[in-house]
């Protein structure tokens, strides 16, 4: 909270904080904002509260568009689910989708009639989920390896540094494509793990350098003289002091992870369909941009990606200014 | 970064698109004419009276894949799309499919005539005289024997084409112009396959290490065009062979441009870079139809060509899985398939539905069979009857603790499946069936299919001949390693397929094939989807292109300007 207030005080970072706040809000409350099921409904003599989240079996196969015989219903602001195609909404229009923005679909629909806004909101959830957990894993692994490598030095350091160099020289996208072809599940975790376990190198290098610097400082020597165990020295004295730079890399890492996820989804290797993802929308945009000219499939996800990356980067800058003591 | 770049690239394309419309603005003001009925249907116009073919010019066409080699023999290099671009223009076989009557007997090409013995075990071919290869050497029966020897050599990577010669006993060349082919057992397709598949290649070009033969990448044949050059990653060209034995080609040169990306191809097409634009995606095909200024270039500059090849798409259920062994379940899933929606929204009304594994316009298909209409109620009844009920109230049917939940396997590149599967997925959910989608790259896809490691696959089968044998696809003996990847086994179908192999009378065979069609439909082995159309566009100056089961014949093409 204190950190947030400090960031808010940084005027340059304020727009970024607002943009990210909206994005995180959309991601967290995605089910309340855009869903095929309503916020609340009374139908068949039963009242359902937040069926958009609880998804009761009684409403299976029904949606806000097709629910009949309701006594009352509170709709979600966007009455479409992210994966709801025209097979479920039953919409009929002159031509086939994609349909442009209008009163029913504010940002238009994709090639199978799914609402673009609903997909963007739920896509934010996917993007942020992947980005945050990727960075957590990367930071965890990076701090461990960097800390051990820097503190122990010698042969351990040599081995771990070579491992780090090997990881850095690996062409990341190719590695991920290969890895994702081998892993076979429908959940987001393989993607998160794949991204996290390849993105720890920056953190590790940074932590190692910090630890190398810190371990010769007096307070560390003092701790050692007092008989503190290596584990205690690393976890209580070295890593907490290396945290500042790590925080900066981590924010930039979020931006990089969002982009990587989009790139992989663009290549068709991201989240399993029909899960919404920004990159998946761009794939469709690539096919439909000129003929028949579905610009909305490119522009809106493009804006979301650009805004996210810019905001996170601006935030990273602000954090860096704080850590460096303000420039 | 990649994604941002894509966004930029996309807007760049938009910009390029508006610039490109400038030439058309010359006659701007004049209203864009409504396309003719022929243009809408994709029927190429009949030849104009009084126009005589003339020589000269370069004919440029787009191909969506770059091959790894230009050979029909090598397993890793033979590729469907390129086979038809080489077999025909560069390579010739002894006989060819009659484009007007593809189910009829083959027409002689490099053979003058052939004779089949009464027991169907010996084929004697008389070669045409005076035929020379592009390198100047004369064609003899020994060349054909050399090709067969290369194919039969187990050390060579020729397993795919060797399959066709599995029953071959011996090939001999008693003299320069006579070839005698002997078979171990009678098979109705044996001679037809031999005559229509084995390409004429000069014997001396086949000497040496098979994998490294230069002829794989620089073909030498007897056809109306000779290979000129291949620029990897970009294009390939053929030049007219002036020493051709038959009707010489009209155009000087054929340039094949490899453009994989659909969007880029459509852009280049709009810029007028192709005389023949191939494989237009249905969305683009439909998008250029409206008579508006933005479509003037397509409506006034091109003729469209839509034709159905002998290719059908299907969804196959792996019968080794607990749910798919029961034909009632397969039928129920077919009843849930949103056929009308897919036809309207994905195929855009361009893909004729089919239920038949044979050439659609042939007698081998039972005309009484029509695709199952979507019937969710009927599907639910069938699933109940088969014991798949939602016993735990989670909305997904189950039986003996196994939920009716499976995974569709699709390649990352399939645009059609990318749209079709989400629609199907939702329709299935209405019936209490959960279908996940897993997309993987094409290489991994084929190895998963080969290993039978899948629940549901969607693929297509195609043939360049109207006479075909589906033994490899549906006989139970092919379940382990053949093309029967879904593991279908029905003793009655097995017996019919075996009987067909030795039935030489086309009428009697068609009657048997119709029974096969009926049984496959009753068993719902596949959910047959549709015939895949070829959607092409031809520049106005191009004459003489006639689509057929074996694509176009490039030697007939000529340019009016």
């Amino acid at each position: 909270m204190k950190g947030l207030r400090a960031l808010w005080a940084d005027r340059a970072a304020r727009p970024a904080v607002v943009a990210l706040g909206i994005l995180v809000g959309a991601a967290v409350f995605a089910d309340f904002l855009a869903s095929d099921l309503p916020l609340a409904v009374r139908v068949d003599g039963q009242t359902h509260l937040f069926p958009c989240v609880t998804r009761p079996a009684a409403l299976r196969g029904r949606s806000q568009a097709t629910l009949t015989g309701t006594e009352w219903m509170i709709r979600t602001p966007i009455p479409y689910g992210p994966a709801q195609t025209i097979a479920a909404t039953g919409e009929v229009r002159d031509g086939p989708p994609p349909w442009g923005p209008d009163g029913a679909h504010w940002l238009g629909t994709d090639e199978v009639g799914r609402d673009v806004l609903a997909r963007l909101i739920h896509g934010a959830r996917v993007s942020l989920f992947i980005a945050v957990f990727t960075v957590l894993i990367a930071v965890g692994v990076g701090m461990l390896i960097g800390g051990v490598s820097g503190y122990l030095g010698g042969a351990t350091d040599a081995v771990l540094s070579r491992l780090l160099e090997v990881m850095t020289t690996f062409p990341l996208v190719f590695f991920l494509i290969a890895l994702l072809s081998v892993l076979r599940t429908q959940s987001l975790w393989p993607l998160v793990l794949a991204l996290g376990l390849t993105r720890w190198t920056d953190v590790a290098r940074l932590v190692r350098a910090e630890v190398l610097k810190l371990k010769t400082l007096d307070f560390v020597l003092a701790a050692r003289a007092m008989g503190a165990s290596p584990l205690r020295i690393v976890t209580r004295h070295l890593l907490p002091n290396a945290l500042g730079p790590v925080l900066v890399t981590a924010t930039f890492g979020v931006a990089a992870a969002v982009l990587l996820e989009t790139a992989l989804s663009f290549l068709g290797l991201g989240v399993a369909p029909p899960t919404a993802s920004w990159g998946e929308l761009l794939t469709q945009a690539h096919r439909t941009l000129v003929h028949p000219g579905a610009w909305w499939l490119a522009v809106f996800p493009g804006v979301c990606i650009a805004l996210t990356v810019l905001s996170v980067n601006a935030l990273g800058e602000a954090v860096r200014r704080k850590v460096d003591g303000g420039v | 970064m990649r994604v941002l770049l894509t966004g930029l690239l996309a807007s760049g394309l938009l910009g390029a698109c508006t610039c490109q419309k400038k030439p058309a603005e010359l006659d701007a003001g004049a209203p864009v004419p409504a396309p003719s009925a022929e243009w809408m249907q994709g029927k190429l116009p009949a030849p104009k009276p009084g126009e005589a073919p003339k020589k000269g010019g370069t004919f440029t066409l787009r191909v969506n894949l770059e091959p790894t080699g230009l050979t029909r023999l090598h397993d890793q290099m033979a590729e469907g799309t390129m086979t038809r671009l080489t077999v025909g223009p560069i390579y010739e076989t002894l006989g060819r499919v009659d484009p007007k009557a593809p189910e009829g007997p083959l027409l002689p090409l490099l053979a003058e005539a052939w004779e089949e013995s009464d027991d169907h075990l010996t084929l004697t071919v008389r070669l045409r005289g005076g035929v020379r290869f592009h390198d100047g050497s004369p064609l003899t029966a020994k060349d054909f024997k050399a090709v067969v020897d290369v194919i039969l050599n187990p050390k060579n990577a020729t397993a795919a084409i060797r399959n066709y010669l599995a029953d071959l006993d011996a090939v001999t060349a008693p003299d320069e112009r006579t070839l005698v082919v002997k078979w171990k057992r009678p098979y109705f397709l044996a001679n037809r396959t031999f005559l229509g598949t084995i390409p004429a290649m000069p014997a001396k070009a086949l000497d040496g290490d098979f994998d490294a033969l230069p002829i794989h990448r620089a073909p030498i044949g007897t056809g109306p065009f000779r290979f000129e050059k291949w620029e990897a990653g970009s294009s390939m060209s053929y030049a007219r062979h002036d020493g051709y034995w038959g009707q010489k080609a009209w155009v000087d040169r054929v340039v094949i441009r490899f453009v994989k990306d659909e969007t880029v191809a459509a852009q280049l097409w709009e810029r007028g870079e192709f005389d023949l634009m191939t494989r237009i995606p249905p969305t683009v095909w439909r998008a250029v139809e409206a008579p508006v200024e933005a479509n003037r270039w397509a409506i006034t500059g091109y003729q469209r060509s839509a034709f159905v090849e002998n290719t059908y798409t299907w969804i196959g259920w792996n019968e080794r899985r607990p749910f798919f062994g029961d034909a009632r379940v397969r039928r129920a899933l077919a009843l849930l398939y949103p056929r009308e929606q897919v036809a309207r929204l994905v195929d855009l009304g361009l893909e004729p539905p089919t239920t038949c594994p044979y050439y659609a316009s042939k007698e081998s298909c039972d005309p009484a069979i029509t695709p199952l209409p979507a019937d969710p109620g009927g599907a639910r009844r069938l699933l109940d009857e088969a014991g798949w009920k939602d016993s735990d109230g989670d909305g997904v049917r189950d039986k003996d603790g196994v939920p009716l939940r499976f995974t569709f396997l699709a390649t990352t590149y399939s645009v059609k499946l990318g749209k079709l599967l989400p629609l199907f997925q939702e329709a299935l959910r209405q019936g209490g069936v959960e279908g996940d989608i897993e997309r993987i790259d094409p290489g991994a896809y084929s190895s998963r299919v080969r290993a039978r490691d899948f629940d549901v696959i969607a693929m297509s089968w195609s043939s360049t001949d109207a006479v075909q044998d589906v033994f490899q696809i549906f006989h139970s003996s092919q379940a382990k390693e053949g093309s029967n990847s879904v593991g279908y086994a029905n003793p009655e179908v097995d017996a019919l397929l075996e009987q067909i192999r030795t039935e030489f009378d086309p009428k009697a065979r068609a009657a048997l094939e119709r029974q096969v069609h009926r049984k496959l439909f009753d068993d719902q082995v596949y959910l047959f989807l549709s015939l895949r159309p070829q959607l092409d566009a031809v520049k106005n100056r191009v004459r003489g292109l006639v689509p057929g089961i074996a694509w176009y014949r490039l030697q007939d093409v000529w340019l009016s300007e």
Side-chain angles (χ1 to χ4, degrees):
Chain A
M1 229 29 315
K2 209 173 109 193
L4 258 183
R5 206 171 301 145
L7 275 177
W8 187 248
D10 186 342
R11 294 179 71 92
R14 233 178 252 181
V17 175
V18 172
L20 281 178
I22 294 173
L23 207 72
V24 171
V28 171
F29 297 106
D31 283 332
F32 300 95
L33 292 171
S35 176
D36 48 338
L37 291 174
L39 286 170
V41 67
R42 183 163 175 81
V43 67
D44 306 336
Q46 267 187 306
T47 306
H48 300 281
L49 202 58
F50 298 124
C52 51
V53 181
T54 57
R55 311 202 70 81
L59 293 181
R60 229 187 129 77
R62 302 162 88 174
S63 69
Q64 297 184 69
T66 58
L67 262 178
T68 47
T70 54
E71 284 174 42
W72 52 264
M73 171 157 73
I74 306 173
R75 292 173 186 273
T76 50
I78 297 132
Y80 304 102
Q84 206 182 2
T85 66
I86 29 179
T89 57
E91 271 184 283
V92 178
R93 300 199 191 180
D94 278 350
W99 297 318
D102 60 16
H105 298 280
W106 299 341
L107 302 187
T109 76
D110 74 356
E111 287 178 300
V112 279
R114 294 179 290 211
D115 188 78
V116 169
L117 183 52
R119 279 185 90 65
L120 283 178
I121 290 173
H122 286 261
R125 174 178 279 190
V126 171
S127 283
L128 291 184
F129 174 88
I130 289 174
V132 167
F133 282 94
T134 297
V135 167
L136 282 181
I137 292 174
V139 166
V141 175
M143 284 185 63
L144 182 74
I145 292 185
V148 168
S149 178
Y151 184 76
L152 292 182
T156 319
D157 182 32
V159 170
L160 289 175
S161 294
R162 294 302 86 75
L163 174 71
L164 195 145
E165 277 157 22
V166 168
M167 286 302 290
T168 329
T169 49
F170 240 86
L172 189 56
V173 174
F174 284 102
F175 177 70
L176 287 173
I177 289 174
L179 197 66
L180 289 171
S181 311
V182 180
L183 296 169
R184 292 167 41 188
T185 92
Q186 296 290 309
S187 83
L188 294 178
W189 285 108
L191 192 60
V192 168
L193 279 176
L195 285 168
L197 292 179
T198 46
R199 293 214 49 93
W200 54 268
T201 50
D202 290 348
V203 179
R205 198 174 321 149
L206 214 71
V207 169
R208 176 175 171 273
E210 283 292 312
V211 168
L212 279 179
K213 186 180 78 186
L214 291 170
K215 76 173 177 184
T216 58
L217 295 185
D218 289 347
F219 74 96
V220 179
L221 294 176
R224 194 183 292 169
M226 284 161 71
S229 69
L231 185 71
R232 188 180 166 84
I233 294 173
V234 171
T235 53
R236 297 301 294 270
H237 298 283
L238 295 177
L239 291 185
N241 282 297
L243 213 54
V246 168
L247 209 60
V248 178
T249 351
T251 38
F252 291 119
V254 169
V258 168
L259 281 183
L260 256 180
E261 186 276 322
T262 335
L264 285 174
S265 292
F266 182 76
L267 294 173
L269 290 161
V271 297
T275 311
S277 139
W278 295 344
E280 192 271 341
L281 280 172
L282 283 184
T283 315
Q284 296 191 41
H286 176 67
R287 283 200 294 268
T288 55
L289 190 58
V290 180
H291 305 286
W295 54 269
W296 55 92
L297 286 176
V299 170
F300 298 125
V303 166
C304 283
I305 294 162
L307 268 184
T308 311
V309 172
L310 287 175
S311 310
V312 174
N313 279 349
L315 206 68
E317 279 295 321
V319 173
R320 194 183 57 77
R321 279 196 294 272
K322 281 272 160 311
V323 170
D324 292 355
V327 183
Chain B
M1 212 49 222
R2 176 180 297 260
V3 175
L4 277 182
L5 273 179
T6 314
L8 291 176
L9 213 119
S11 50
L13 287 178
L14 258 183
C17 165
T18 34
C19 302
Q20 286 311 321
K21 274 169 201 136
K22 279 202 176 117
E25 279 165 18
L26 290 175
D27 46 16
V32 179
S36 67
E38 277 179 337
W39 193 93
M40 288 297 286
Q41 288 162 17
K43 284 205 182 103
L44 287 174
K48 294 194 176 88
E51 259 192 346
K54 58 182 182 191
K55 267 190 167 185
T58 298
F59 177 76
T60 309
L61 68 132
R62 178 249 176 162
V63 166
N64 63 323
L65 282 175
E66 178 159 17
T68 42
L70 279 179
T71 175
R72 186 123 197 218
L73 306 187
H74 198 290
D75 286 338
Q76 272 93 55
M77 298 186 206
E79 194 276 317
T81 313
M82 282 317 288
T83 299
R84 65 181 182 193
L85 284 171
T86 48
V87 179
I90 293 185
Y91 283 126
E92 290 182 307
T93 48
L94 291 161
R96 68 178 177 107
V97 175
D98 184 349
K100 293 201 180 73
E103 60 271 49
L106 294 182
L107 300 176
L109 193 61
L110 287 179
E112 211 166 62
W114 55 77
E115 206 182 343
E116 202 173 296
S117 64
D118 290 338
D119 61 1
H120 307 289
L121 290 176
T122 309
L123 174 76
T124 312
V125 187
R126 176 84 180 148
L127 259 62
R128 192 179 288 278
V131 176
R132 285 184 180 276
F133 284 105
H134 298 151
D135 65 359
S137 59
L139 167 77
T140 68
K142 293 212 168 51
D143 293 308
F144 271 104
K145 174 148 174 45
V147 174
V148 171
D149 287 345
V150 163
I151 293 172
L152 292 182
N153 186 344
K155 282 190 210 135
N156 294 341
T158 51
I161 195 164
R162 202 184 305 143
N163 245 339
Y164 295 121
L165 304 181
D167 288 342
L168 190 74
D169 189 22
V171 170
T172 48
D175 66 57
E176 297 264 288
R177 287 179 59 190
T178 310
L179 196 66
V180 181
V181 183
K182 284 197 182 339
W183 303 97
K184 287 181 200 148
R185 54 186 76 84
Y187 173 40
F188 81 96
L189 256 184
N191 288 332
R192 191 177 172 102
T193 311
F194 188 91
L195 294 165
T197 308
I198 308 300
M201 297 165 96
K204 62 175 189 288
L206 295 171
D207 281 342
D209 175 13
F210 179 71
D211 288 329
L213 289 179
I215 198 169
H216 292 324
R217 288 185 62 86
I220 305 164
T222 59
F225 289 96
R226 62 185 162 73
F227 173 80
E228 204 173 49
K229 65 171 189 291
W230 180 354
E231 284 174 38
S234 134
S235 68
M236 183 182 287
S237 66
Y238 303 163
R240 179 177 52 234
H241 174 43
D242 286 312
Y244 185 56
W245 58 268
Q247 166 68 56
K248 292 181 185 48
W250 298 102
V251 294
D252 294 338
R253 181 168 283 108
V254 171
V255 175
I256 296 165
R257 290 188 55 187
F258 305 116
V259 188
K260 189 175 169 194
D261 188 286
E262 287 182 350
T263 310
V264 175
Q267 285 296 307
L268 293 174
W269 172 37
E270 186 168 349
R271 269 165 53 180
E273 303 216 357
F274 306 127
D275 289 300
L276 172 62
M277 165 71 182
T278 60
R279 287 191 178 269
I280 301 171
T283 42
V284 177
W285 180 267
R286 286 294 186 222
V288 297
E289 284 178 349
V292 295
E293 194 54 43
N295 291 336
R296 182 189 289 276
W297 63 275
I299 295 171
T300 60
Y302 287 86
Q303 299 296 330
R304 299 202 302 180
S305 173
F307 57 101
V308 172
E309 294 185 305
N310 193 8
T311 300
Y312 63 89
T313 49
W314 50 271
I315 289 176
W317 319 102
N318 190 347
E319 296 185 18
R320 300 167 189 87
R321 296 289 185 265
F323 13 86
F324 298 139
D326 188 334
R328 287 173 299 185
V329 174
R330 301 194 297 266
R331 175 169 288 261
L333 297 176
L335 290 172
L336 287 169
Y337 178 67
R339 192 171 280 280
E340 184 274 332
Q341 260 169 345
V342 170
R344 191 161 46 86
L345 303 169
V346 179
D347 303 340
L348 306 180
L350 294 167
E351 304 201 3
T354 185
T355 59
C356 184
Y358 297 102
Y359 187 48
S361 56
K362 240 186 82 180
E363 289 180 348
S364 310
C365 296
D366 187 337
I369 301 176
T370 50
L372 292 172
D375 175 12
R380 282 190 279 267
R381 274 194 301 281
L382 267 175
L383 288 171
D384 285 343
E385 197 184 298
W388 292 92
K389 293 178 180 149
D390 183 11
S391 62
D392 51 7
D394 66 348
V396 182
R397 288 167 188 272
D398 52 79
K399 182 176 170 183
D400 309 329
V402 181
L404 191 42
R405 178 179 196 129
F406 48 81
T407 304
F408 289 100
L409 203 60
T411 65
T412 48
Y413 294 129
S414 174
V415 175
K416 175 170 166 139
L417 290 178
K419 300 187 207 174
L420 181 155
L421 292 179
L423 292 174
F424 197 7
Q425 197 175 31
E426 280 196 299
L428 287 173
R429 206 168 283 149
Q430 310 285 326
V433 180
E434 206 55 57
D436 296 325
I437 304 168
E438 184 183 356
R439 288 189 302 180
I440 53 176
D441 75 88
Y445 187 89
S446 8
S447 56
R448 291 269 297 270
V449 173
R450 243 178 285 125
R452 312 305 192 222
D453 181 11
F454 63 87
D455 295 343
V456 189
I457 44 172
M459 285 170 59
S460 65
W461 293 128
S462 54
S463 168
T464 48
D465 195 350
V467 181
Q468 61 199 113
D469 181 15
V470 298
F471 184 92
Q472 281 182 50
I473 304 177
F474 297 113
H475 195 276
S476 61
S477 66
Q478 305 297 309
K480 218 166 166 200
E481 278 167 348
S483 299
N484 183 0
S485 44
V486 296
Y488 175 61
N490 180 337
E492 288 174 63
V493 172
D494 281 358
L496 282 168
L497 291 171
E498 284 156 25
Q499 209 182 332
I500 285 170
R501 281 173 85 83
T502 51
E503 181 54 73
F504 285 82
D505 175 41
K507 281 244 169 329
R509 204 167 56 230
L512 293 171
E513 287 170 338
R514 238 179 283 178
Q515 291 183 49
V516 171
H517 177 201
R518 165 60 68 185
K519 293 218 180 306
L520 294 179
F521 183 76
D522 287 343
D523 285 343
Q524 286 291 315
V525 185
Y526 288 167
L527 167 56
F528 283 89
L529 300 178
S530 52
L531 299 173
R532 199 167 61 196
Q534 196 71 36
L535 302 174
D536 298 346
V538 181
K539 218 180 229 175
N540 280 346
R541 67 169 184 158
V542 178
R543 303 282 187 275
L545 273 182
V546 182
I549 188 170
W551 202 55
Y552 306 97
R553 261 160 71 89
L554 295 179
Q555 73 218 70
D556 298 334
V557 175
W558 60 279
L559 304 171
S560 68
E561 56 187 72

